[in-house]
């Protein structure tokens, strides 16, 4: 036989390895590149609000050392309370960036920490693609893995939270999630303590990275429970779950923020319950071989019911006595969706926490939203232990994604995995020629040549079989393959379009285009923060709504009163009350809180719709939650009951501090020569009160497009003085009467 | 009631007869660990939970040792049809035993970040607690 020629000498394993390596490398590159739109259009800058705090914390860690970061008490946030950063932050993100920074410095390749932070999320998107490939390979096959890796590299649901510049926890958390799930499935298949320990280590990384680790610690016990109920209990499950749970719990308690929560809160109790249940089921399995059937059944049924009842009673007793905290508000609002609006308005006011519309499903998932049920169906048809896991993951993720827009992010990985499985299955069937059907046809023909009466029977027997396999002819196969290929191409186009237009806004810089197509950049935010940085004292206190706290602390480097961490609702309510009260009442609050400057966002000149007047009702609601006697939401509406800043607005609205600060001197602006002054381009009508005078604050700075307005809080005035000649003194001397004259005895003495 | 007593009696006899010697050693080890765990829990209930992390670390380490020994037992048991006997099993058990029986300092001083916890005389950096950075102790003459 001649030696095989060509690059790989006909070695099929070499071919598959090369293909796998090349495809995964390309997926990484494409994922990285498609997230760089904002960098290319603007510059390498941290976007949004939350990433500014993460950047500031990372900067602090790199400037000092790790232990100083863990012990950091930030006195420039939440003035005058301060914030214990070390104990209230998930350090995984900062540690990852710090580690990369340290590694690069060690090989004498210095990169500024800001650039590392900006480019961290795109880098980890490539790693997520590799982790998804490994997970899908365990679940189905390597081909499905490659499809899934390609899907998740560009899927908009994931890209939205991991563009370059979006330096947030989710960027590394999704990688940790997929990797932990891959290690869990692998350890379940192998039943080895080693893989379960690796899974626990990866879970530790996930706990350090994101608060969504609660999803893992509830999904894996749910999987174990379903396996027990369905009757697929095996010693592999016992070994892998026990090793994972014990080591994972121990490791997760090392993060200061998590602390004792794994043994004290209801969110972690299902894992503990399944742990206990698994011990019981394991013992039952052990006993089953040693007892007769009837003895086993009495022990089993009796014992299980008794322990089940005891377990639930014990749990409720613990909750009642306060040893175990009930389900926290954040997670309870996922079940009872109306709860947050009434009890925790801060959670309800965040736009990411609103329910998802179906448009978001299509926008973020495109064809994978329609194809993934196919993959789910194939998993159900060919079920085994690990495919039950992906089925449960898909069902729970779909429910949660329907409740909250933010949780579309946890839906995207499972949708990519299942679509990968679907596409791989279809292409495997439809891209191959079926050799077995042609063989049976040959056999049937030969039979007809030799033996006619028998041939008819064999012919009729063979034909249905060959018809079943050849039910889809070659033409249909090629048409379906081409159509699916076109769908995949459209998916790529859609993802690139969505990433470019919708998810690449730095939101620190605004952009619009002129009529001739030129680009107009509005850099008002940075202009204002730069002004603050250069023209205010180093320990000046800035009061603003909590949305901008992190940016002020990061870019302007000044002390803020409230910021995006929103850990203290009463403090935020105080700021809200100051913004909603009239100027004198607000001045009292500002004096109490030691405020030097007030910063607001005003979009009326530009038409920017994310300004503080649009958020004002939430300020009122939050303030009303804490001070219901002084602030009433109904006072801020017109008589007709609608929210307006026009001429029909109520007196309270027209005199509140927020209105005055937003529209000070706005009445003098005109859009054109004939237009009335004070036309608000966001609300699209003329404002109500145009001649505004400020008594206790004065305007310090307004940016070029009036987007950010900064006011200085004036010191108390000196006491008012009166001229000497106009003084009026009240006289205390009584007029002279008879017995009061000088020289007379007042008391008559009788001699 | 008597039937369950008889069931348990049967069980114990069966166990004595059919279990090989090396599994009985592992079972004895597991029983000892169970006792230490129970004692720690009773102590916590009686005396109180302060400091909570001390109770947690002691109790969870007994549970971990119990559970990992159970995993070892499953994997070494000839009754199980699946083939186990990975070397990792023996290695993990050996490590656990070493940690449990020896002084933690003897093992812990070689683990990079954790060795900061321990005042090892002259061996490595020492600290009081994981979260407080303590300046270097002065060199002793």
């Amino acid at each position: 036989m001649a030696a095989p020629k060509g690059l790989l000498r006909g070695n099929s394993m070499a071919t598959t390895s090369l293909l796998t390596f090349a495809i995964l490398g390309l997926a990484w590159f494409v994922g990285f590149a498609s997230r760089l739109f904002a960098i290319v259009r603007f510059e390498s800058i941290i976007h949004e609000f939350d990433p500014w705090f993460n950047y500031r914390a990372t900067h602090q860690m790199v400037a000092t050392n790790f232990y100083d970061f863990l012990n950091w008490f930030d006195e420039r946030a939440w003035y005058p309370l301060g914030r214990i950063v070390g104990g209230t932050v998930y350090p995984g993100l900062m540690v990852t960036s710090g580690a990369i920074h340290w590694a690069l410095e060690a090989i004498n390749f210095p990169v500024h920490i800001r650039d590392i932070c900006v480019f961290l999320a795109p880098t980890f998107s490539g790693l997520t693609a590799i982790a998804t490939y490994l997970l899908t390979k365990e679940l189905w096959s390597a081909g499905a893995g490659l499809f899934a890796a390609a899907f998740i590299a560009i899927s908009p649901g994931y890209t939205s939270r991991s563009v370059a510049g979006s330096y947030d926890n989710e960027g590394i958390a999704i990688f940790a999630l997929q990797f932990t799930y891959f290690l869990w499935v692998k350890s379940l298949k192998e039943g080895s303590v080693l893989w379960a320990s690796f899974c626990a280590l990866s879970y530790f990384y996930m706990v350090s990275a994101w608060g969504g680790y609660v999803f893992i610690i509830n999904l894996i016990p749910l999987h174990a429970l379903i396996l027990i109920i369905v009757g697929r209990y095996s010693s592999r499950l016992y070994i892998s779950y026990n090793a994972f749970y014990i080591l994972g719990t121990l490791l997760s308690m090392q993060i200061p923020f998590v602390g004792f929560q794994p043994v004290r809160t209801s969110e972690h109790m299902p894992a503990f319950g399944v742990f206990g249940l698994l011990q019981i089921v394991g013992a039952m399995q052990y006993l089953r071989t040693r007892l007769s059937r009837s003895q086993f059944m009495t022990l089993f049924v009796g014992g299980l019911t008794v322990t089940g009842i005891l377990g639930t009673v014990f749990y409720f007793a613990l909750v009642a006595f306060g040893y175990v905290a009930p389900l926290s508000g954040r997670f309870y609002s996922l079940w009872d969706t109306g709860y947050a609006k009434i009890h925790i308005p801060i959670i309800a006011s965040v736009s990411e926490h609103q329910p998802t519309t179906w448009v978001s499903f299509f926008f973020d998932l495109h064809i994978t939203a329609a194809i993934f049920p196919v993959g789910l169906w194939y998993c159900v048809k060919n079920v085994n232990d690990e495919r039950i896991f992906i089925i449960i993951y898909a069902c729970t993720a779909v429910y949660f994604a329907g409740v909250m827009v933010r949780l579309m992010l946890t839906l995207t990985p499972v949708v990519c995995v299942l679509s990968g499985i679907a596409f791989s299955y279809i292409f495997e069937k439809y891209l191959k020629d079926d050799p077995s059907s042609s063989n049976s046809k040959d056999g049937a023909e030969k039979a007809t040549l030799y033996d006619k009466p028998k041939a008819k029977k064999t012919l009729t027997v063979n034909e249905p079989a060959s018809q079943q396999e050849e039910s889809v002819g070659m033409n249909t196969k090629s048409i379906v393959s081409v159509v699916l290929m076109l769908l995949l191409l459209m998916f790529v186009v859609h993802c690139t379009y969505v990433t470019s237009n919708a998810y690449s806004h730095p939101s620190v810089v605004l952009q619009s285009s002129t009529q001739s197509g030129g680009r107009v950049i509005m850099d008002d935010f940075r202009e204002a923060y730069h002004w603050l940085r250069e023209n205010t004292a180093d320990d000046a206190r800035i009061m603003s709504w909590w949305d901008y706290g992190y940016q002020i602390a990061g870019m302007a480097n000044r002390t803020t009163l409230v910021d995006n961490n929103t850990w203290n609702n009463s403090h935020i309510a105080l700021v809200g009350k100051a913004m909603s009260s009239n100027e004198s009442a607000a001045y009292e609050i500002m004096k109490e809180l030691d405020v030097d400057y007030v910063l607001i966002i005003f979009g009326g000149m530009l038409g920017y719709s994310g300004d503080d007047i649009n958020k004002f009702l939430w300020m009122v609601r939050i303030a009303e939650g804490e001070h219901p006697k002084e602030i009433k939401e109904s006072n801020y509406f017109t008589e007709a009951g609608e929210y307006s800043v026009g001429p029909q607005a109520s007196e309270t609205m027209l005199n509140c501090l927020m209105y005055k600060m937003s529209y000070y001197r706005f009445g003098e602006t005109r859009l054109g020569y004939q237009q009335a002054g004070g036309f608000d381009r966001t609300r699209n009508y003329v404002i109500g009160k145009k001649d505004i005078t400020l008594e206790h604050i004065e305007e310090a700075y307004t940016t070029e497009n009036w987007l950010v307005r900064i006011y200085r809080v004036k010191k108390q005035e000196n006491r008012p003085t009166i001229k000497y000649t106009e003084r009026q003194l009240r006289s205390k001397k009584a007029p002279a009467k008879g017995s009061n004259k000088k020289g007379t005895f007042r008391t008559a003495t009788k001699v | 009631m008597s039937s369950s007593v008889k069931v348990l009696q049967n069980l114990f006899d069966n166990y004595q007869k059919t279990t090989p010697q090396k599994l009985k050693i592992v079972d004895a080890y597991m029983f000892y660990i169970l006792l230490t765990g129970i004692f720690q829990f009773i102590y916590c209930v009686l005396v109180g939970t302060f400091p909570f992390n001390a109770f947690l670390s002691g109790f969870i380490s007994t549970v971990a040792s119990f559970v990992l020994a159970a995993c070892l037992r499953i994997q070494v048991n000839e009754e199980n049809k699946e083939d186990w006997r990975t070397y990792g099993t023996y290695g993990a058990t050996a490590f656990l035993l070493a940690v449990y029986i020896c002084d933690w300092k003897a093992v812990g001083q070689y683990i990079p970040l954790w060795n900061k916890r321990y005042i090892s005389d002259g061996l490595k950096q020492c600290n009081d607690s994981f979260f407080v950075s303590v300046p270097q102790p002065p060199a002793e003459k």
Side-chain angles (χ1 to χ4, degrees):
Chain A
M1 210 155 75
K5 290 187 239 164
L7 181 66
L8 295 166
R9 311 278 188 273
N11 185 352
S12 73
M13 184 162 131
T15 324
T16 42
S17 304
L18 179 67
L19 267 182
T20 311
F21 186 72
I23 292 177
L24 286 178
L26 273 178
W28 192 336
F29 177 72
V30 167
F32 186 89
S34 76
R35 287 163 167 79
L36 295 183
F37 280 106
I39 308 292
V40 167
R41 287 176 189 158
F42 302 105
E43 58 183 281
S44 158
I45 189 180
I46 309 274
H47 299 179
E48 305 257 321
F49 303 107
D50 273 356
W52 276 102
F53 170 71
N54 295 330
Y55 172 60
R56 188 164 157 252
T58 315
H59 190 79
Q60 174 82 6
M61 188 177 92
V62 166
T64 52
N65 61 36
F66 177 62
Y67 289 107
D68 283 347
F69 166 69
L70 272 185
N71 292 323
W72 184 27
F73 178 79
D74 188 15
E75 70 271 359
R76 289 172 79 87
W78 293 89
Y79 186 86
L81 304 166
R83 177 185 173 182
I84 309 171
V85 176
T88 59
V89 81
Y90 285 107
L93 185 63
M94 296 82 178
V95 168
T96 311
S97 310
I100 296 178
H101 183 250
W102 175 83
L104 285 176
E105 291 238 333
I107 56 176
N108 284 328
F109 191 62
V111 181
H112 193 268
I113 187 69
R114 189 199 66 235
D115 290 323
I116 293 181
C117 294
V118 164
F119 289 104
L120 187 77
T123 315
F124 268 77
S125 74
L127 287 171
T128 309
I130 294 179
T132 311
Y133 160 74
L134 292 169
L135 174 65
T136 320
K137 193 167 95 147
E138 291 301 317
L139 285 173
W140 196 264
S141 71
L146 292 173
F147 265 113
F151 277 131
I152 198 160
I154 54 174
S155 179
Y158 179 42
T159 316
S160 62
R161 305 290 302 197
S162 66
V163 282
S166 172
Y167 180 56
D168 211 352
N169 301 61
E170 288 92 348
I172 58 170
I174 298 297
F175 161 67
L177 186 92
Q178 292 288 79
F179 199 58
T180 310
Y181 284 151
F182 154 65
L183 288 172
W184 165 247
V185 168
K186 183 88 181 178
S187 82
L188 187 63
K189 275 170 87 166
E190 303 269 327
S192 90
V193 178
L194 181 72
W195 285 103
S197 316
F198 285 144
C199 183
L201 280 174
S202 172
Y203 172 66
F204 171 56
Y205 182 55
M206 175 76 189
V207 171
S208 75
W210 195 32
Y213 74 92
V214 179
F215 186 54
I216 296 188
I217 200 63
N218 282 314
L219 190 64
I220 291 183
L222 185 64
H223 180 220
L225 185 68
I226 301 271
L227 282 180
I228 295 174
I229 291 178
V230 167
R232 284 178 169 270
Y233 170 80
S234 64
S235 43
R236 290 175 291 123
L237 174 66
Y238 180 85
I239 292 176
S240 45
Y241 183 77
N242 279 326
F244 162 74
Y245 175 68
I246 287 293
L247 294 174
T249 306
L250 267 178
L251 284 171
S252 68
M253 290 203 269
Q254 305 309 309
I255 309 286
F257 192 23
V258 174
F260 296 140
Q261 281 180 27
V263 292
R264 281 235 151 143
T265 57
S266 292
E267 289 115 27
H268 299 86
M269 284 302 124
F272 183 64
V274 171
F275 177 66
L277 181 68
L278 210 52
Q279 307 304 315
I280 297 172
V281 174
M284 293 297 165
Q285 277 300 107
Y286 176 73
L287 293 177
R288 182 184 282 220
T289 53
R290 283 170 167 69
L291 291 176
S292 71
R293 175 111 184 122
S294 59
Q295 290 172 330
F296 176 71
M297 282 315 286
T298 50
L299 203 56
F300 180 68
V301 172
L304 211 57
T305 42
V306 165
T307 41
I309 295 174
L310 270 181
T312 37
V313 167
F314 189 58
Y315 168 69
F316 279 111
L318 281 178
V319 173
F321 285 116
Y323 288 112
V324 171
L327 210 56
S328 77
R330 241 185 358 146
F331 296 109
Y332 184 70
S333 61
L334 290 176
W335 296 117
D336 179 8
T337 46
Y339 177 79
K341 185 124 199 227
I342 311 169
H343 296 270
I344 320 173
I346 282 204
I347 293 184
S349 73
V350 182
S351 68
E352 292 177 319
H353 292 182
Q354 306 310 317
T356 328
T357 55
W358 81 265
V359 177
S360 309
F361 278 101
F362 180 74
F363 199 63
D364 279 349
L365 298 174
H366 202 239
I367 56 164
T368 52
I371 303 254
F372 94 91
V374 176
L376 192 62
W377 171 241
Y378 284 142
C379 281
V380 172
K381 267 187 89 172
N382 309 309
V383 77
N384 61 21
D385 287 351
E386 49 271 11
R387 287 178 197 154
I388 289 185
F389 173 73
I390 202 72
I391 292 170
I392 299 174
Y393 183 11
C395 296
T396 48
V398 167
Y399 169 71
F400 287 124
V403 171
M404 213 187 249
V405 169
R406 190 177 180 185
L407 295 177
M408 280 289 292
L409 179 68
T410 52
L411 179 64
T412 310
V414 69
V415 159
C416 292
V417 167
L418 288 173
S419 317
I421 292 178
F423 270 101
S424 163
Y425 189 84
I426 296 177
F427 276 126
E428 229 177 281
K429 290 260 176 226
Y430 281 27
L431 280 182
K432 278 200 291 209
D433 282 339
D434 240 344
S436 50
S437 56
S438 41
N439 277 339
S440 62
K441 238 194 165 181
D442 280 339
E445 275 180 10
K446 282 204 180 109
T448 52
L449 285 175
Y450 293 126
D451 203 349
K452 282 218 172 144
K454 249 193 217 170
K456 276 215 171 119
K457 275 194 203 152
T458 52
L459 200 59
T460 48
V461 163
N462 270 334
E463 268 196 16
S466 60
Q467 265 176 6
Q468 257 177 13
E469 283 161 12
E470 236 189 273
S471 56
V472 188
M474 273 311 295
N475 279 335
T476 327
K477 282 190 186 181
S478 10
I479 290 177
V480 170
S481 305
V482 167
V483 167
L484 286 182
M485 196 69 66
L486 282 178
L487 276 185
L488 287 176
L489 287 174
M490 277 167 35
F491 177 69
V492 174
V493 170
H494 172 88
C495 290
T496 317
Y497 165 75
V498 164
T499 311
S500 159
N501 282 346
Y503 291 139
S504 295
H505 292 306
S507 69
V508 184
V509 177
L510 301 174
Q511 173 187 296
S512 72
S513 31
T514 60
Q515 276 174 342
S516 50
R519 205 165 68 148
V520 174
I521 303 266
M522 284 161 287
D523 214 0
D524 288 46
F525 290 103
R526 293 200 291 173
E527 185 189 338
Y529 299 139
H530 189 73
W531 184 90
L532 272 181
R533 199 187 183 110
E534 301 288 316
N535 294 303
T536 58
D538 190 50
D539 60 348
R541 270 83 54 192
I542 320 284
M543 179 170 95
S544 71
W545 192 233
W546 59 261
D547 288 359
Y548 318 110
Y550 280 155
Q551 278 186 345
I552 296 175
M555 284 195 256
N557 196 19
R558 290 288 175 270
T559 312
T560 51
L561 247 58
V562 289
D563 61 24
N564 308 57
N565 192 29
T566 64
W567 67 269
N568 191 333
N569 198 30
S570 319
H571 213 56
I572 298 180
L574 256 186
V575 171
K577 185 175 164 205
M579 299 287 194
S580 348
S581 324
N582 60 27
E583 210 182 330
S584 317
Y587 185 64
E588 293 300 311
I589 299 178
M590 290 196 283
K591 260 196 323 184
E592 219 177 271
L593 291 173
D594 242 354
V595 176
D596 291 323
Y597 293 88
V598 186
L599 184 148
I600 61 158
I601 306 292
F602 171 62
M605 188 72 110
L606 275 181
Y608 178 64
S609 61
D611 67 350
D612 279 356
I613 290 282
N614 277 352
K615 292 183 196 163
F616 184 59
L617 270 186
W618 283 110
M619 297 188 201
V620 172
R621 282 180 196 136
I622 293 173
E624 188 180 356
E626 295 280 328
H627 310 271
K629 294 204 181 68
E630 288 121 43
I631 312 280
K632 287 193 184 37
E633 191 183 340
S634 46
N635 286 345
Y636 293 86
F637 291 131
T638 63
E639 273 102 32
E642 50 175 44
Y643 177 63
S644 160
V645 291
Q648 330 90 308
S650 62
E651 277 307 306
T652 335
M653 181 73 208
L654 290 177
N655 283 323
C656 71
L657 186 68
M658 176 57 70
Y659 183 91
K660 283 188 165 181
M661 284 198 294
S662 293
Y663 293 116
Y664 181 65
R665 289 193 305 116
F666 191 62
E668 300 152 21
T669 63
R670 274 164 214 284
L671 284 183
Y673 285 117
Q674 273 82 28
Q675 305 249 357
F679 183 80
D680 185 338
R681 286 175 75 177
T682 316
R683 265 60 62 178
N684 277 323
Y685 46 76
V686 182
I687 59 175
K689 188 162 133 177
K690 293 186 209 172
D691 50 344
I692 298 175
T693 50
L694 296 173
E695 193 188 329
H696 296 290
I697 57 178
E698 61 179 2
E699 186 180 3
Y701 189 71
T702 300
T703 57
E704 182 187 337
N705 298 304
W706 289 54
L707 203 50
V708 184
R709 311 197 68 180
I710 305 178
Y711 290 85
R712 189 179 295 117
V713 176
K714 291 204 275 203
K715 299 270 180 292
Q716 267 181 309
E717 287 175 4
N718 292 328
R719 290 204 222 142
T721 53
I722 311 177
K723 278 164 67 160
Y724 186 80
T725 48
E726 291 164 9
R727 279 187 320 171
Q728 285 178 0
L729 291 174
R730 272 190 302 175
S731 160
K732 287 230 164 98
K733 277 208 298 212
K737 277 201 228 147
S739 58
N740 262 347
K741 272 200 235 167
K742 278 194 187 155
T744 55
F745 288 112
R746 291 201 193 99
T747 53
T749 50
K750 297 264 174 149
V751 179
Chain B
M1 207 47 213
S2 64
S3 66
S4 50
V5 170
K6 255 205 306 193
V7 163
L8 290 173
Q9 189 76 15
N10 270 346
L11 201 58
F12 191 61
D13 290 334
N14 192 338
Y15 172 76
Q16 285 278 57
K17 276 181 242 157
T18 55
T19 328
Q21 186 67 14
K22 63 178 174 183
L23 285 187
K24 280 191 181 166
I25 296 177
V26 178
D27 287 338
Y29 171 67
M30 281 167 63
F31 183 63
Y32 155 69
I33 300 262
L34 190 67
L35 284 180
T36 55
I38 291 176
F39 281 140
Q40 287 194 15
F41 191 72
I42 293 176
Y43 178 84
C44 172
V45 166
L46 287 177
V47 179
T49 56
F50 184 77
F52 197 49
N53 32 8
F55 162 67
L56 273 184
S57 57
F59 187 66
I60 294 185
S61 69
T62 62
V63 175
S65 310
F66 182 86
V67 153
L68 290 173
C71 296
L72 167 72
R73 192 185 188 283
I74 290 176
Q75 290 193 339
V76 175
N77 201 348
E78 282 98 26
E79 287 177 16
N80 287 335
K81 301 293 188 304
E82 302 99 310
D83 3 320
W84 305 108
R85 253 150 285 167
T86 60
Y87 291 112
T89 321
Y90 294 110
T93 323
F95 177 73
L96 251 184
L97 276 174
V99 167
Y100 206 71
I101 293 174
C102 308
D103 198 4
W104 169 233
K105 283 187 228 157
V107 181
Q109 61 180 307
Y110 296 111
I111 302 178
L113 283 179
W114 283 84
N115 57 16
K116 300 225 188 257
R117 285 182 96 106
Y118 297 101
I119 301 175
S120 319
D121 327 78
L123 278 168
K124 297 268 185 190
Q125 182 79 350
C126 56
N127 264 336
D128 282 334
S129 93
F130 188 55
F131 300 118
V132 173
S133 61
V134 169
Q136 294 245 4
E140 286 161 34
K141 289 273 160 56

